[in-house]
């Protein structure tokens, strides 16, 4: 079997890169072993405002210009819905936060998203004594459904191997990579936190962050917006909500824990004053990087070997534009921005 590319990993990074290859008529095969699940459990939110400090997220507007059409094209291709526009209601904790909101609303980059008023409307079951700041043009991507459909489609076309990519078995010659019976001109690693096992790139400073989430059923909560306070409460359908997320920099397993669950319950109880039932508890590891920027580029020695990783807490927004930048770098020789290039760590 001869292909242009081997891709290792089918999370959001691998998906976006394989789509980029498909759009450009390149052949590929993907390896996926389900060792990581960040993209599957993710909240899937996109939002260009940091909700702690009301400051702009790095490059978010230009990322969104590529990301939203990317997901909408996939919706048309699979005739399924993945993109759910959802407003965000940020609960204020104090008068000071209300004032900071108005200051941020005046910033040109945020004015399309932040509504310059305080919303005091009461919503049954939500504790919000200082009212809400509302964000619009935000939303979520159902990453779990998208990845499942994408994978099925690759399976149909025989473009995916449901197995672990064993780095020791990779043979590198001057012109190609040989892995078992596959010969490829290039190889791109998209393993998320799986990077730690990769002998070619594990020198890069990933500072992974485990996150846990709950799915709850709250029959008396009827909101179609995302509530953001100590935790986020994101509407799914039929009064189900996703609640998250924790940040843990020590635990490297993707197993849900009692500690994570208790933290989420405690925070959720400060936001909701109505009963709810926990129906699911999930966890994953975010591939975050020390300097909070993606990891893109060619291996210092093997120049046809590359990485697309470090999507951190915002894979939904970053993956499509990062995949495009990496493709243009590998195939058209375009320079990568210093901020995202792994050359910054050499
Ligand atoms: C709790 C939580 C909440 C989140 N919420 C959001 C959110 O609301 N919005 C947002 O934008 N982002 C969110 N994120 C972050 C987002 O999930 C990540 O930025 C993104 O999914 C990372 O994608 P990835 O493809 O790089 O990594 P992953 O999703 O981890 O994918 C890597 C894939 O590579 C596979 N793999 C690894 N090693 C091998 C190997 N040797 N052989 C074969 N396959 C291999 C793994 O099985 C995995 O499928 C959240 C993450 C978590 C954990």
């Amino acid at each position: 079997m001869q292909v242009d590319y081997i891709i290792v990993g089918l999370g959001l990074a691998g998906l976006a890169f394989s789509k980029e290859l498909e759009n450009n008529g390149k052949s590929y095969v993907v390896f996926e072993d389900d060792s990581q699940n960040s993209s599957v459990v993710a909240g899937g939110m996109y939002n260009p405002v940091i909700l702690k400090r009301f400051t702009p997220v790095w490059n978010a507007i230009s990322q969104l210009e590529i990301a939203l059409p990317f997901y909408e094209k996939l919706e048309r291709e699979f005739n399924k819905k993945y993109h759910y526009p959802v407003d965000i209601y940020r609960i204020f904790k104090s008068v000071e936060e209300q004032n900071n909101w108005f200051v941020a609303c005046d910033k040109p980059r945020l004015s399309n998203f932040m509504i310059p008023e305080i919303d005091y409307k009461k919503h049954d079951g939500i504790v919000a004594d200082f009212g809400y700041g509302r964000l619009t043009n935000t939303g979520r991507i159902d990453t779990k459904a998208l990845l499942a459909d994408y994978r099925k489609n690759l399976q149909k076309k025989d473009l995916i191997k449901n197995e672990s990519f064993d780095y020791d078995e990779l043979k590198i010659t001057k012109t190609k990579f040989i892995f078992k019976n596959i010969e490829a001109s290039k190889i791109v690693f998209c393993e998320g936190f799986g990077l730690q096992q990769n002998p070619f790139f594990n020198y890069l400073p990933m500072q992974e962050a485990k996150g846990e989430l709950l799915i709850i059923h709250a029959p008396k909560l009827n909101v179609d917006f995302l509530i953001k306070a100590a935790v986020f409460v994101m509407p799914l359908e039929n009064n189900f909500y996703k609640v998250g997320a924790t940040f843990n920099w020590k635990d490297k397993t993707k197993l849900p824990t009692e500690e994570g669950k208790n933290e989420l319950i405690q925070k959720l109880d400060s936001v909701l004053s109505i009963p709810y039932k926990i129906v699911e508890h999930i966890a994953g590891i975010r591939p975050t990087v020390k300097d909070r920027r993606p990891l893109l580029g060619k291996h210092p020695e093997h120049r046809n070997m590359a990485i697309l990783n470090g999507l951190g807490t915002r894979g939904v927004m970053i993956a499509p534009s990062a995949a495009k930048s990496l493709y243009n770098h590998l195939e058209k020789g375009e320079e990568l921005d210093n901020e995202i290039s792994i050359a910054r760590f050499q």
Side-chain angles (χ1 to χ4, degrees):
M1 183 182 188
Q2 283 198 335
V3 286
D4 295 319
Y5 280 82
I6 290 172
I7 299 176
V8 181
L10 187 70
L12 285 172
L15 182 153
F17 194 74
S18 75
K19 200 69 200 153
E20 197 58 37
L21 292 180
E22 191 187 303
N23 292 342
N24 286 284
K26 299 281 180 194
S27 57
Y28 62 86
V29 62
V30 179
F31 283 80
E32 171 54 53
D33 67 358
D34 295 307
S35 54
Q36 297 297 322
N37 62 350
S38 184
S39 301
V40 177
V41 301
M45 276 304 293
Y46 63 85
N47 158 37
V49 183
I50 295 174
L51 291 171
K52 220 180 213 171
R53 301 184 291 274
F54 312 143
T55 49
V57 170
W58 168 77
N59 274 355
I61 312 284
S62 55
Q63 288 163 5
L64 277 176
E65 279 167 7
I66 293 176
L68 295 184
F70 175 85
Y71 295 115
E72 283 161 4
K73 196 168 167 213
L74 284 162
E75 285 187 319
R76 290 192 294 278
E77 189 178 328
F78 295 132
N79 199 18
K80 283 276 272 290
K81 191 168 167 61
Y82 306 118
H83 178 203
Y84 297 83
V86 192
D87 286 356
I88 298 176
Y89 285 31
R90 164 66 155 83
I91 297 180
F92 292 128
K93 292 193 286 277
S94 62
V95 174
E96 192 191 350
E97 278 201 340
Q98 294 175 337
N99 292 336
N100 293 344
W101 181 263
F102 284 109
V103 172
C105 286
D106 282 341
K107 291 180 190 154
R109 273 191 291 169
L110 301 184
S111 57
N112 274 344
F113 299 92
M114 298 178 74
I115 297 171
E117 59 187 36
I118 297 168
D119 184 346
Y120 283 108
K121 193 170 166 223
K122 297 273 175 235
H123 296 276
D124 284 347
I126 307 176
V127 182
D129 297 339
F130 290 90
Y132 307 89
R134 280 183 291 140
L135 285 148
T136 191
N137 296 323
T138 50
R140 80 172 167 100
I141 302 296
D142 185 345
T143 52
K144 184 177 175 184
L146 171 60
L147 276 160
D149 291 343
Y150 200 84
R151 190 161 173 172
K152 252 188 248 155
N153 192 43
L154 289 185
Q155 250 144 10
K156 249 194 252 161
K157 296 194 272 186
D158 205 16
L159 296 180
I160 186 162
K161 308 274 177 204
N162 295 310
E163 64 179 75
S164 219
F165 184 85
D166 181 350
Y167 307 93
D168 294 338
E169 283 206 40
L170 181 66
K171 295 191 183 74
I172 305 176
T173 74
K174 270 201 179 128
T175 52
K176 61 189 173 199
F177 297 99
I178 304 165
F179 185 76
K180 298 184 178 171
N181 62 340
I182 300 169
E183 292 188 7
S185 311
K186 294 192 171 75
I187 182 163
V188 175
F189 292 107
C190 308
E191 310 112 311
F193 178 50
L195 172 73
Q196 58 167 354
Q197 313 290 344
N198 181 328
F200 303 104
F201 287 109
N202 63 5
Y203 68 91
L204 293 166
M206 186 164 272
Q207 207 175 51
E208 61 283 350
K210 177 173 178 171
E212 302 192 37
L213 294 153
L214 301 175
I215 313 267
I216 61 163
H217 186 225
K220 290 189 179 147
L221 184 64
N222 282 304
V223 296
D224 59 1
F225 51 84
L226 180 142
I227 308 160
K228 176 71 179 102
V231 279
F232 69 73
V233 182
M234 177 201 289
L236 300 173
E237 63 282 315
N238 303 326
N239 302 93
F240 286 88
Y241 296 85
K242 205 174 225 186
V243 177
T246 59
F247 274 83
N248 183 326
W249 282 269
K250 287 192 186 128
D251 183 354
K252 310 294 182 203
T253 70
K254 56 176 188 177
L255 298 174
T257 64
E258 263 318 284
E259 190 192 347
K261 184 172 164 185
N262 290 338
E263 180 186 329
L264 290 170
I265 292 174
Q266 195 192 358
K267 288 182 174 166
L268 183 60
D269 289 346
S270 69
V271 185
L272 294 188
S273 58
I274 43 157
Y276 59 84
K277 198 172 143 203
I278 296 169
V279 293
E280 212 181 326
H281 178 196
I282 45 184
I285 303 191
R286 305 172 184 91
T288 35
V289 181
K290 234 177 176 173
D291 63 2
R292 302 292 179 265
R293 293 290 179 267
L295 296 170
L296 268 68
K298 295 177 190 169
H299 187 270
E301 188 187 333
H302 310 298
R303 304 301 282 166
N304 287 322
M305 176 185 274
I307 183 168
L308 173 47
N309 207 320
L311 303 185
T313 56
R314 298 182 210 282
V316 165
M317 287 202 297
I318 302 175
S321 51
K324 203 173 266 308
S325 299
L326 183 65
Y327 180 84
N328 290 343
H329 179 58
L330 295 175
E331 293 294 331
K332 301 179 186 167
E334 285 182 13
E335 287 293 315
L336 288 170
D337 271 356
N338 252 349
E339 263 188 319
I340 58 175
S341 168
I342 54 168
R344 70 192 189 277
F345 297 115
Q346 276 159 29

